[in-house]
Amino acid sequence: MSEIAVMGATGHTGSVIARNLLALGHRVRAMGRSAERLESLRQQGAQLHVGNCADAAYLERAFGGADAVYAMMPFDPTAPGFMALQRTQGQAIVSALQAARVPHVVALSSLGAEQPTGTGVLVSLHEQEQRLAALQHSHVLKLRPAMFFEGLFNLLPGVKYGGSLADAFAPDLPIPMIATRDIADAATAALDQRGWTGHRVRELLGPGDLSHNQLATLVGGVIGQPALAYQQLPYESAAQGMAQAGIAPDLADLLAEMARALNEGRVRTVEGRNAGNTTPTPLQALGPALKAAYEALP
Ligand SMILES: NC(=O)c1ccc[n+]([C@@H]2O[C@H](COP(=O)([O-])OP(=O)(O)OC[C@H]3O[C@@H](n4cnc5c(N)ncnc54)[C@H](OP(=O)(O)O)[C@@H]3O)[C@@H](O)[C@H]2O)c1
């Protein structure tokens, strides 16, 4: 049994990792900003560490004495100043990992994080990978997943009120996409077994590449609109739409820039797809949840 700290334990990846590790018999330190949101993990046996990840002293307490840490970079889509906040949080996370001399770190990054510039929001994960590279006392596994299927939930209001699946991605461009549960399973295995040494990178590419035209057909199928079409938006309109939906304008611009980087082939797999980075869960597994979320919209 090991002692493992899990950042973002109420989020997509962290919640599943925390539950998985508890089921494997590990002692889990579940991290997040709200004891209330972490309560179900406490009931399953996790120890709660409540605090803000911009606070290095809190992080050092949560990481101290742990055998391994799941380190991720949260962000609040409504908060202005995305890059500055990410730098503050990223530095706090790495200095706490360094001070606590955590033996094994599994860090959530992204496809495209090897690129220093021009990838919008992903530049923050490139910078975090650079900071993690300075850790001298840790074996570090950086997971670089594809785009999350769960991002499709954000497009459902546009489907309901605008009549199409609309985004800035090129309609026929095949893009690797992944279910967050598959990232969680890969992270769980790494945290459980800790069978790597040094600093490593692992891509996670989901079950296959999908174009946005294909996504529209699949999403249309699960919500009962088989004729649903994809509409490519100009980058500026996509950013404006995100800002109108409540995303901070600077972050909306960075998300549109990321879409441009994908469209222009600058964010892509470095390893190439293979059996080791192809993960099992298809989009259809999210079908019932997508349908329920669509039907719940007013
Ligand atoms: N979406 C994509 O397609 C994609 C692709 C590749 C990589 N990524 C990366 O994946 C990461 C997101 O992972 P995820 O989806 O598992 O997380 P998530 O579902 O967005 O959840 C964020 C977690 O962080 C916690 N949190 C938020 N702000 C915090 C703060 N200031 N201090 C401490 N905890 C905080 C939240 O808990 P509380 O709110 O309860 O505190 C929650 O548990 C991001 O770094 C993103 O760049 C995303």
Side-chain angles (χ1 to χ4, degrees):
M1 191 202 274
S2 302
E3 185 89 24
I4 303 175
V6 178
M7 291 186 66
T10 59
H12 288 116
T13 56
S15 63
V16 180
I17 293 167
R19 283 200 304 274
N20 286 348
L21 291 171
L22 286 168
L24 288 167
H26 294 293
R27 286 190 297 268
V28 170
R29 300 177 184 177
M31 299 172 64
R33 291 169 300 178
S34 151
E36 199 181 340
R37 287 195 290 275
L38 291 163
E39 174 58 20
S40 71
L41 280 170
R42 193 191 64 77
Q43 286 174 15
Q44 292 168 66
Q47 196 185 76
L48 304 193
H49 285 259
V50 177
N52 194 304
C53 73
D55 176 354
Y58 150 70
L59 293 173
E60 203 179 320
R61 285 192 299 277
F63 297 162
D67 299 295
V69 166
Y70 176 66
M72 53 83 62
M73 295 270 282
F75 64 88
D76 174 355
T78 63
F82 171 81
M83 283 304 290
L85 209 51
Q86 289 276 288
R87 286 181 183 129
T88 303
Q89 293 180 353
Q91 275 155 11
I93 291 166
V94 173
S95 59
L97 290 168
Q98 180 84 320
R101 296 185 168 228
V102 176
H104 279 86
V105 176
V106 174
L108 180 61
S109 184
S110 173
L111 221 59
E114 77 284 356
Q115 307 278 341
T117 56
T119 59
V121 70
L122 301 180
V123 170
S124 73
L125 294 170
H126 171 82
E127 292 184 358
Q128 184 65 351
E129 288 202 4
Q130 298 297 109
R131 287 183 207 103
L132 289 163
L135 287 178
Q136 299 138 359
H137 309 291
S138 308
H139 303 294
V140 181
L141 177 65
K142 287 165 272 190
L143 296 178
R144 288 190 187 157
M147 271 177 46
F148 298 176
F149 282 144
E150 282 79 356
L152 288 169
F153 286 90
N154 301 329
L155 302 184
L156 291 178
V159 173
K160 190 130 193 177
Y161 311 121
S164 65
L165 192 78
D167 210 330
F169 298 97
D172 290 318
L173 176 75
I175 295 178
M177 294 188 73
I178 188 166
T180 53
R181 71 183 73 165
D182 288 351
I183 305 169
D185 286 348
T188 302
L191 292 160
D192 177 43
Q193 293 151 19
R194 304 196 292 286
W196 83 94
T197 55
H199 288 233
R200 303 286 174 89
V201 169
R202 182 173 174 207
E203 292 184 353
L204 296 168
L205 300 184
D209 298 357
L210 287 169
S211 71
H212 275 67
N213 278 340
Q214 290 172 310
L215 281 175
T217 304
L218 287 165
V219 172
V222 301
I223 64 170
Q225 285 191 31
L228 182 68
Y230 176 67
Q231 185 195 1
Q232 183 181 11
L233 302 173
Y235 299 114
E236 297 72 22
S237 316
Q240 273 166 18
M242 287 187 267
Q244 275 159 14
I247 292 180
D250 63 298
L251 177 57
D253 286 343
L254 290 169
L255 288 164
E257 193 180 331
M258 179 189 72
R260 183 194 289 273
L262 269 121
N263 288 346
E264 294 176 357
R266 287 179 283 113
V267 174
R268 59 179 188 279
T269 167
V270 175
E271 295 174 3
R273 184 176 285 281
N274 58 48
N277 59 34
T278 296
T279 62
T281 305
L283 175 61
Q284 287 83 347
L286 275 73
L290 280 166
K291 185 168 191 285
Y294 179 77
E295 285 171 358
L297 288 170

